[in-house]
Amino acid sequence: MRLLHLALGVAIGAAVVAILAACRPTPSAQPTTPGLPPPGPPTDDQQEVRAIAREAYVYGVPMLAEYQTMHTFSVDTGNPQYKGPFNTLLNIARVFTPADTAFVTPNSDTPYSFAGLDLRAEPVVISVPKMEPTRYFVLQLMDLYTYNFDYIGSRTTGNNGGRYLIAGPDWRGAVPDGITQVIRAETELVSMVGRTQLFNPDDLDNVKQIQAGYRVQPLSAFLGNPPPPAPAAVHWPQPLTPEATRSSPAFFAQLAFLLQFAPVHPSEVALRERFARIGIVPGKPLDVAALSATTVQAMQQGMADGQREIDQRRAALAGHSDTLFGTREFLKNDYVARATGTQVGIGANSRDEAMYPIYETDADGAPLDGATQRYTLRFGKDALPPVNAFWSLTMYGLPDQLLVANPIDRYLINAAMLPQLTKDADGGITLYIQHAPPGGDKQRNWLPAPAGPFMAAMRYYWPRQALLDGQWTSPQIERVPSSAPAAEAMP
């Protein structure tokens, strides 16, 4: 078992069409970046180009991945996964099923709410209704760098409701009456991902009522005032394909486009100056076609160097990928960690909010495969996961990492199902993870697996200190000996 964070990334396969034109913002959208001096002369030292390209690749991987999601959800109206323009809220008032393929590793125990926030013209106010204290909810706020810069939810703000003003980096206005808290973002574009706990299928109407109480409004609409002038028009480029993201110098053109929405942080002035030496200037077009063949080669070598660094960090995680997600202060400008977290699973929560152990192998280290094996996972008596909210175990087929269709339409087992599960003689609970139904009383504890490779994801929402400190560890998935009785027929 490895501890990995789950993806909210979008599986997009858009073609790279007219990359150079697409990465060119309209003239009115060419901003300046406060705190950044004019770029120095470009370098023609190919070793320096390669070194800077490595730095810029590692730095930019999360930004391009986050933009891919934003573009799909809030810009590309022709995409089937489009969810609405910036500064509007979409609630998905249902549980996810195998028919949902926009996200890898979706969950089915917290219906989602989504909003892409454009904070250039004015702040946005997020309103949250009061709800019962036993229900967990969280609104995760992630900036364009993929830092989880703040949270609204049960853990951080409580369940009594409130109105939260989300301000961009340059807003200096007066805070109006009725605002519970001001939350400042470092970038002008922000993603909000909301999760609201669903106790059971009969609870869905209650979740819908809560979601109906969530509101996302520009500050002017919240106050009932005329809106301010619209921000400069932007020609949003088509996101790069996964292949181009790892190999094409067009990566740096798109990074330059995105940096216009991210005023330079004081700790990164020198880094941004280095980026400018290979043509990465916020909001300025990078003419990849004009680059020499040797410069293109040096850039590609730098990208490969950066990806190798990410791969090495991922291989060395040793069960500690929960260190890859959080605020800038938590990550301490560790750009390799940030990029590794993106490729492990963009959009994952910070460890204080949720932890996600991933089961990819059994206790003996063998890959999980429902075609040839049956498995169990057991919680001992009084040894359930120590969480303030709830836990769940969800099944995903491989390699797509999507929910698995099965005859009982069960995709997970979670804490809310405990009263319906069969207990062991000593009071513990054994879950049966296999393709064929186990039959008898075991049927209640059956998590159906595909007839092939799979992974299972544990989710611990609002973990207690014993989990955070590693005093309590997740049980392993055990392979059932081949001599054990065969699975029974479905009753």
Side-chain angles (χ1 to χ4, degrees):
M1 183 190 71
R2 291 191 293 149
L3 183 62
L4 300 180
H5 277 269
L6 304 186
L8 267 180
V10 180
I12 306 173
V16 183
V17 179
I19 288 175
L20 301 182
C23 290
R24 187 184 302 271
T26 60
S28 62
Q30 306 252 347
T32 59
T33 304
L36 197 62
T43 180
D44 57 3
D45 182 329
Q46 300 309 307
Q47 286 301 111
E48 186 179 16
V49 170
R50 178 172 179 171
I52 296 172
R54 177 192 62 78
E55 288 182 291
Y57 177 79
V58 170
Y59 184 92
V61 160
M63 299 187 75
L64 266 72
E66 175 63 0
Y67 175 66
Q68 187 180 59
T69 301
M70 283 185 169
H71 188 275
T72 300
F73 282 4
S74 301
V75 176
D76 186 2
T77 57
N79 193 297
Q81 309 302 334
Y82 177 76
K83 302 192 181 309
F86 284 109
N87 301 339
T88 60
L89 180 69
L90 175 77
N91 293 311
I92 300 180
R94 60 177 178 80
V95 296
F96 276 37
T97 73
D100 293 287
T101 60
F103 313 128
V104 296
T105 59
N107 80 58
S108 284
D109 42 23
T110 58
Y112 285 112
S113 300
F114 296 101
L117 309 182
D118 182 348
L119 306 175
R120 290 177 297 155
E122 59 178 324
V124 166
V125 176
I126 299 176
S127 299
V128 175
K130 183 177 181 178
M131 64 191 80
E132 64 269 54
T134 55
R135 187 183 301 274
Y136 172 81
F137 86 101
V138 62
L139 307 182
Q140 173 188 4
L141 298 170
M142 184 170 64
D143 66 21
L144 191 54
Y145 296 119
T146 69
Y147 291 127
N148 293 327
F149 65 93
D150 218 325
Y151 280 91
I152 302 166
S154 300
R155 177 181 66 88
T156 54
T157 59
N159 284 28
N160 287 324
R163 295 166 175 174
Y164 302 88
L165 188 147
I166 316 302
D170 297 326
W171 185 73
R172 300 293 182 268
V175 179
D177 293 338
I179 295 298
T180 307
Q181 181 181 340
V182 174
I183 298 173
R184 291 194 172 273
E186 189 179 319
T187 61
E188 294 173 329
L189 301 179
V190 167
S191 289
M192 188 214 80
V193 181
R195 302 170 178 88
T196 306
Q197 183 180 4
L198 178 73
F199 294 132
N200 54 59
D202 295 335
D203 184 45
L204 189 56
D205 285 342
N206 297 323
V207 170
K208 290 180 180 179
Q209 184 176 356
I210 292 169
Q211 288 182 323
Y214 296 142
R215 300 193 71 185
V216 171
Q217 300 170 281
L219 178 59
S220 57
F222 173 77
L223 295 174
N225 295 336
V234 175
H235 178 84
W236 302 101
Q238 186 74 17
L240 303 184
T241 65
E243 294 78 12
T245 298
R246 294 198 180 200
S247 61
S248 171
F251 175 100
F252 303 111
Q254 196 151 103
L255 176 59
F257 166 79
L258 293 173
L259 287 176
Q260 68 180 295
F261 306 108
V264 64
H265 189 269
S267 67
E268 296 179 348
V269 171
L271 184 67
R272 293 282 193 96
E273 289 176 351
R274 282 175 59 77
F275 290 173
R277 286 179 60 76
I278 62 170
I280 304 172
V281 180
K284 302 292 184 181
L286 172 60
D287 189 357
V288 177
L291 299 175
S292 68
T294 54
T295 296
V296 168
Q297 182 181 32
M299 284 182 164
Q300 291 174 323
Q301 290 171 333
M303 296 175 76
D305 294 341
Q307 185 58 49
R308 188 157 41 249
E309 202 169 356
I310 295 168
D311 292 340
Q312 290 170 350
R313 180 70 64 89
R314 184 169 184 168
L317 287 174
H320 295 289
S321 65
D322 54 328
T323 61
L324 303 178
F325 306 89
T327 62
R328 178 186 287 276
E329 292 71 26
F330 176 79
L331 289 175
K332 297 179 175 59
N333 283 13
D334 185 343
Y335 307 123
V336 178
R338 192 174 74 190
T340 305
T342 295
Q343 293 188 357
V344 166
I346 186 173
N349 276 302
S350 305
R351 69 190 307 267
D352 288 345
E353 193 66 44
M355 297 175 70
Y356 307 102
I358 294 286
Y359 292 96
E360 297 179 305
T361 61
D362 62 26
D364 296 324
L368 302 174
D369 193 330
T372 59
Q373 303 293 338
R374 291 173 290 144
Y375 305 91
T376 61
L377 184 145
R378 186 177 188 276
F379 297 111
K381 185 178 184 295
D382 301 323
L384 290 171
V387 292
N388 291 299
F390 70 100
W391 59 269
S392 68
L393 179 69
T394 306
M395 172 64 60
Y396 300 102
L398 291 176
D400 56 15
Q401 298 185 81
L402 298 175
L403 298 172
V404 174
N406 62 82
I408 61 173
D409 295 329
R410 177 183 288 175
Y411 315 118
L412 57 82
I413 291 178
N414 63 23
M417 298 168 64
L418 285 172
Q420 288 77 49
L421 300 181
T422 300
K423 289 187 176 181
D424 300 334
D426 65 355
I429 293 176
T430 299
L431 306 183
Y432 299 92
I433 304 169
Q434 56 189 67
H435 179 62
D441 289 341
K442 296 178 180 179
Q443 199 78 4
R444 296 181 181 180
N445 299 20
W446 178 35
L447 181 58
F454 69 89
M455 58 179 270
M458 191 73 81
R459 288 176 169 89
Y460 301 131
Y461 290 101
W462 193 356
R464 292 180 180 170
Q465 205 61 42
L467 257 173
L468 294 171
D469 293 345
Q471 298 172 12
W472 188 95
T473 57
S474 302
Q476 299 192 68
I477 287 181
E478 304 280 350
R479 186 167 62 248
V480 176
S482 57
S483 59
E488 301 175 22
M490 176 77 89

